[in-house]
Amino acid sequence: MKNILIDVLLKQGYSKIPLKNNGAGHFKLTAKVNGKNGRFILDTGASHTVIDEASAEKFSLKISGKTTKDAGGLGTDALKTRKSTGNELNIKGFILSKAVFAVIDLAYVNSALQKNGSEKIDGVIGADILKKHKALIDYSEKALYLK
């Protein structure tokens, strides 16, 4: 049955992206931002895709100097965010040429991940991308499908 579903999704133009579990129970994946490799977690509860401030230079992000709204969630009360537009995001060959990211300090997230035996991350793939690209997550096969 699963092979039939996968075949249907691929025929409908979906791209299959393999996922792995990290030590903290999240799905992790690698992706390229502006041609540079990075480590990300998939978070269906995150409203925006986020890049860690510490990784902004690595990814050659052009960041707005203006601080935008406070970001809630992510394990803290509020964080100041800045916006980066016009980026290329390549998730295993699924390419978004005008990706927009919220840029925030993920030090507290990385600290928590490391305490749980996971590697540091460069960012979070959030619901903005997942919704726009009609994401389907196959938990048993550990795969993300985007269109």
Side-chain angles (χ1 to χ4, degrees), residues 53 67-72 78-82 102-105:
E53 281 180 342
T67 301
T68 60
K69 64 183 178 180
D70 292 340
L79 291 171
K80 299 290 183 191
T81 65
R82 294 184 295 157
V103 181
I104 64 173
D105 181 3

Side-chain angles (χ1 to χ4, degrees), residues 4-54:
I4 294 170
L5 177 61
I6 293 168
D7 289 344
V8 168
L9 291 173
L10 295 176
K11 285 178 185 172
Q12 289 184 1
Y14 278 85
S15 295
K16 181 180 180 182
I17 299 159
L19 301 170
K20 294 182 181 179
N21 289 104
N22 70 6
H26 299 98
F27 277 135
K28 65 180 181 176
L29 60 141
T30 57
K32 288 185 179 183
V33 175
N34 300 326
K36 305 287 189 216
N37 287 323
R39 288 188 213 108
F40 292 82
I41 57 172
L42 187 65
D43 188 348
T44 60
S47 60
H48 291 78
T49 296
V50 174
I51 300 286
D52 187 7
E53 281 180 342

Side-chain angles (χ1 to χ4, degrees), residues 32-109:
K32 288 185 179 183
V33 175
N34 300 326
K36 305 287 189 216
N37 287 323
R39 288 188 213 108
F40 292 82
I41 57 172
L42 187 65
D43 188 348
T44 60
S47 60
H48 291 78
T49 296
V50 174
I51 300 286
D52 187 7
E53 281 180 342
S55 299
E57 188 175 324
K58 167 179 148 176
F59 294 135
S60 303
L61 297 184
K62 293 177 187 140
I63 303 171
S64 164
K66 185 173 114 177
T67 301
T68 60
K69 64 183 178 180
D70 292 340
L74 292 169
T76 189
D77 292 335
L79 291 171
K80 299 290 183 191
T81 65
R82 294 184 295 157
K83 191 176 185 179
S84 178
T85 59
N87 299 288
E88 182 180 275
L89 176 62
N90 181 337
I91 308 172
K92 302 287 185 184
F94 185 83
I95 299 172
L96 304 174
S97 59
K98 296 180 182 177
V100 176
F101 304 121
V103 181
I104 64 173
D105 181 3
L106 291 178
Y108 66 97
V109 172

